[in-house]
Amino acid sequence: MADTLTITDNRTGKQYEIPIQDGTIRAMDLRQIKVKPDEFGMMTYDPAFMNTAACKSRITFIDGDKGILLYRGYPIEQLAEHSDFLETSYLILFGELPTETQLAEWSRDITMHTMLHENIKKFLEGFRYDAHPMGMFLSAVGALSTFYPDAKNIFDAESRRLQMVRLIAKVPGIAAYVYRHNIGRPFVLPDNELSFSGNFLNMLFKMTELRYKPHPVLERALDVLFILHADHEQNCSTSVMRNIGSTHVDPYSALAGAAAALYGPLHGGANEAVLRMLNEIGSMQNIPAFIKRVKAGEERLMGFGHRVYKSYDPRAKIIKRMADLVFEVTGKNPLLEMALELERIALEDEYFVSRRLYPNVDFYSGLIYQAMGFPLDMFPVLFAIPRTAGWMAQWEEMLTDPEQKIARPRQIYTGSAPRDYAAREKRR
Ligand code: CMC
């Protein structure tokens, strides 16, 4: 017998058998529950989507209690150890690890699309010298939609693949241009001989040398950070990507919206917020007072807590280990001691323990980025580069899912009952 949920409506005494599939009932099956036939029917109320699955997905699996993260079934720890970002992005987008030939073709495709149109350069030059990199980044991504009108062809699989390649290939260039604009240095052209991450470092940090040589430890560390950030199932920015994409707009416009969602300090902006928090705390002796303010609800311990993970974020574990390798090259980030002490206190403190608040991906990543020479406001951009692969995979999955339609939540109206327009002089 199929699993069902029996609901008794005590207003009418009627019983309903609602089918259960994948531990879930369909919200639309509740619509039949009515007192009178002309009623709208029962809805669910779920602000912030705490308990609502909006899609079926084969891309990323998270078990928040056990701290498990899988891309297409592969544990994040194994990918971080053995894979590289381009291979992982192929896996996320197309469902399988590429063969050698597929990987060579994928890498060549990405490399062939790294150049940016000169007008994007001009567009970025229009920003003030101190414009936030994430504001520039998301504007430039949105602007790309005007350069590639063919991207509107969203039901053509080949066109979709081309936009995936273009976006993954071009976001490092945009990020690097944004950075160089802020520090007043000329833009650097991509070097096709370098790896994805190596070329990104080249476009960021090349000075007068003829050829930029990325430090292999930093190049690998950045690549691993990119792997860790590539996808994270239905988080806020991914839901935005799917929602905007569900209107059938081009992927550049949808991705600009997703990047805007990522910019927020509760999401991808948290890595920047962690460093600002550590700077504000200032020294070890101020930590107890800071923790007191957090517990009083006056502050948030940034880089802690997660909607899904109720144990240590597996990405944070990998990043913490990697920080040691990076600091051997760059020297220790002086803020590390403070971060370790905050973590030590939080993991013992009843407030954090009872709420199951653990370090998330953003707690240690910023310390690495800073040690590598990135300014704080570049951190969310460094999150957006790899997440572009995840956003595009989720966009593709949404578009090819026959169950999906334009996203359109319902509301419970709590405003005024119908009333007549009042003339201005009669208003009180
Ligand atoms: N510091 C102090 N208290 C916290 C924190 C925190 N970082 N996070 C959650 N809490 C408390 C919160 O006040 C609430 O307490 P109470 O039950 O007494 O009201 C309880 O824990 C549950 O929190 P919530 O706000 O209901 O949890 P949520 O699932 O809505 O929020 C979160 C998740 C990530 C937005 C939140 O934990 C947070 O603001 N963390 C800091 C920002 C951060 O690090 N964000 C990065 C998330 S990981 C990467 C990404 O997604 O981009």
Side-chain angles (χ1 to χ4, degrees):
M1 202 180 84
D3 290 342
T4 59
L5 178 75
T6 308
I7 298 179
T8 308
D9 187 344
N10 65 15
R11 300 170 304 174
T12 57
K14 270 199 200 161
Q15 271 203 347
Y16 300 85
E17 291 292 318
I18 309 286
I20 300 176
Q21 210 188 359
D22 304 317
T24 311
I25 58 162
R26 282 189 177 257
M28 279 304 284
D29 285 344
L30 300 178
R31 194 67 81 69
Q32 58 183 308
I33 304 177
K34 309 177 175 188
V35 176
K36 295 189 201 123
D38 59 346
E39 260 179 22
F40 185 77
M42 187 68 74
M43 291 194 300
T44 56
Y45 177 54
D46 188 13
F49 307 113
M50 300 284 286
N51 197 36
T52 295
C55 64
K56 291 179 180 164
S57 182
R58 296 165 168 270
I59 302 171
T60 293
F61 172 82
I62 303 175
D63 182 330
D65 280 328
K66 297 199 184 111
I68 293 173
L69 169 61
L70 313 174
Y71 293 160
R72 302 282 187 182
Y74 293 100
I76 193 67
E77 294 79 6
Q78 290 183 24
L79 292 168
E81 174 132 19
H82 304 294
S83 185
D84 59 39
F85 173 69
L86 276 190
E87 184 183 67
T88 297
S89 62
Y90 184 100
L91 169 71
I92 287 176
L93 283 157
F94 307 113
E96 295 296 335
L97 285 168
T99 61
E100 267 187 51
T101 321
Q102 286 167 331
L103 183 58
E105 196 187 327
W106 176 241
S107 307
R108 197 191 52 239
D109 283 353
I110 299 286
T111 312
M112 289 301 138
H113 284 87
T114 46
M115 295 276 284
L116 288 167
H117 193 289
E118 281 296 290
N119 286 0
I120 282 285
K121 222 157 83 175
K122 290 193 192 130
F123 175 78
L124 289 172
E125 276 161 2
F127 281 97
R128 278 174 57 110
Y129 69 94
D130 59 352
H132 193 288
M134 198 61 172
M136 289 196 265
F137 177 85
L138 65 93
S139 312
V141 169
L144 281 184
S145 90
T146 65
F147 290 78
Y148 304 113
D150 58 307
K152 292 195 186 336
N153 212 357
I154 56 164
F155 291 112
D156 179 317
E158 230 172 273
S159 169
R160 287 200 303 271
R161 190 183 193 279
L162 177 59
Q163 313 319 323
M164 289 169 190
V165 168
R166 279 179 176 152
L167 265 159
I168 293 170
K170 290 183 200 306
V171 285
I174 295 177
Y177 274 25
V178 157
Y179 169 70
R180 304 280 293 199
H181 171 78
N182 277 14
I183 57 170
R185 293 211 181 120
F187 300 137
V188 177
L189 285 176
D191 180 342
N192 285 356
E193 300 297 307
L194 294 174
S195 72
F196 185 83
S197 305
N199 175 48
F200 180 45
L201 290 169
N202 159 64
M203 291 189 289
L204 287 159
F205 299 129
K206 184 170 185 283
M207 297 296 284
T208 52
E209 65 272 42
L210 284 179
R211 201 93 201 246
Y212 178 83
K213 272 208 200 105
H215 191 293
V217 172
L218 303 187
E219 182 183 4
R220 177 65 192 156
L222 191 60
D223 212 62
V224 172
L225 282 162
F226 282 174
I227 292 172
L228 300 181
H229 286 88
D231 192 54
H232 213 230
E233 53 120 306
Q234 309 312 314
N235 54 79
C236 182
S237 57
T238 300
S239 307
V240 168
M241 183 78 197
R242 280 177 172 262
N243 268 3
I244 301 181
S246 78
T247 69
H248 295 175
V249 74
D250 68 88
Y252 301 94
S253 304
L255 207 128
L262 189 72
Y263 191 1
L266 297 188
H267 194 4
N271 49 17
E272 179 183 347
V274 169
L275 270 273
R276 295 199 190 282
M277 172 188 78
L278 293 173
N279 283 329
E280 240 168 72
I281 297 173
S283 72
M284 299 284 258
Q285 78 220 35
N286 297 333
I287 289 180
F290 176 76
I291 293 279
K292 214 169 155 189
R293 287 204 303 282
V294 171
K295 286 160 64 174
E298 293 161 18
E299 305 259 8
R300 278 219 151 186
L301 178 51
M302 300 311 284
F304 257 71
H306 201 275
R307 172 64 59 79
V308 180
Y309 292 120
K310 298 302 168 198
S311 67
Y312 215 102
D313 182 334
R315 302 167 298 174
K317 263 188 211 157
I318 300 169
I319 293 179
K320 199 175 167 189
R321 277 200 306 270
M322 224 172 48
D324 295 332
L325 299 177
V326 171
F327 295 156
E328 264 174 40
V329 177
T330 61
K332 213 180 232 171
N333 188 324
L335 298 174
L336 176 68
E337 298 299 320
M338 260 200 294
L340 289 169
E341 180 61 5
L342 273 171
E343 179 185 332
R344 191 191 63 74
I345 295 177
L347 292 184
E348 285 174 359
D349 191 294
E350 199 276 331
Y351 174 94
F352 298 92
V353 174
S354 63
R355 289 170 179 77
R356 303 178 74 188
L357 301 172
Y358 293 86
N360 60 47
V361 69
D362 292 314
F363 194 64
Y364 288 106
S365 59
L367 291 170
I368 299 185
Y369 292 144
Q370 192 178 47
M372 287 172 83
F374 290 105
L376 301 199
D377 50 14
M378 273 297 284
F379 295 0
V381 177
L382 297 172
F383 196 151
I385 293 170
R387 186 53 62 85
T388 295
W391 287 329
M392 292 305 280
Q394 301 273 352
W395 171 75
E396 165 86 14
E397 195 178 59
M398 181 273 305
L399 280 178
T400 52
D401 179 349
E403 282 199 301
Q404 292 294 336
K405 287 167 176 274
I406 184 168
R408 199 338 184 153
R410 295 277 175 180
Q411 64 166 11
I412 300 171
Y413 177 68
T414 58
S416 169
R419 49 185 172 162
D420 289 327
Y421 180 82
R424 236 165 260 169
E425 64 281 7
K426 291 199 177 145
R427 291 177 209 162
R428 274 180 287 129

